[in-house]
Amino acid sequence: MRVELVYCPAPHACERVELELAEGATLAEALRASGLAERHGLAPEALDAGIWGRVQPPQTVLRDGDRVELYRPLTVDPKEARRQRYRGGR
């Protein structure tokens, strides 16, 4: 089965890895197979991951064609970021 794993380490930067996994592979196995955590110095247990935009637990079984996404922690509250952009545009 083929799945795609995507991680954006910074704004406007995106790393995409296509994987060929055995049927019944889990989200955690896909993360290990991709090598993204090691490449970016991330702790796999501290990462939030999802499938097609929905956060899922690591033991979730993947299906052919799934898009696995790794999420960065927010550095600024989205509402506060919007306020700052509004103030800066005046």
Side-chain angles (χ1 to χ4, degrees), residues 7-88:
Y7 175 63
C8 298
H12 310 292
C14 192
E15 187 170 344
R16 197 175 134 241
V17 178
E18 289 194 20
L19 300 171
E20 185 74 37
L21 300 171
E23 288 294 324
T26 64
L27 200 145
E29 292 168 349
L31 177 57
R32 273 194 300 278
S34 73
L36 284 174
E38 294 81 22
R39 218 171 10 261
H40 292 283
L42 306 170
E45 62 278 351
L47 288 174
D48 281 332
I51 301 170
W52 293 109
R54 294 182 182 257
V55 176
Q56 299 290 329
Q59 65 272 18
T60 302
V61 176
L62 299 172
R63 296 185 310 206
D64 188 42
D66 275 347
R67 177 185 166 106
V68 177
E69 302 158 346
L70 300 180
Y71 306 117
R72 300 183 267 135
L74 295 175
T75 55
V76 176
D77 177 50
K79 289 181 182 178
E80 183 57 33
R82 212 171 299 125
R83 283 187 204 104
Q84 291 173 3
R85 283 194 305 270
Y86 176 75
R87 285 187 206 123

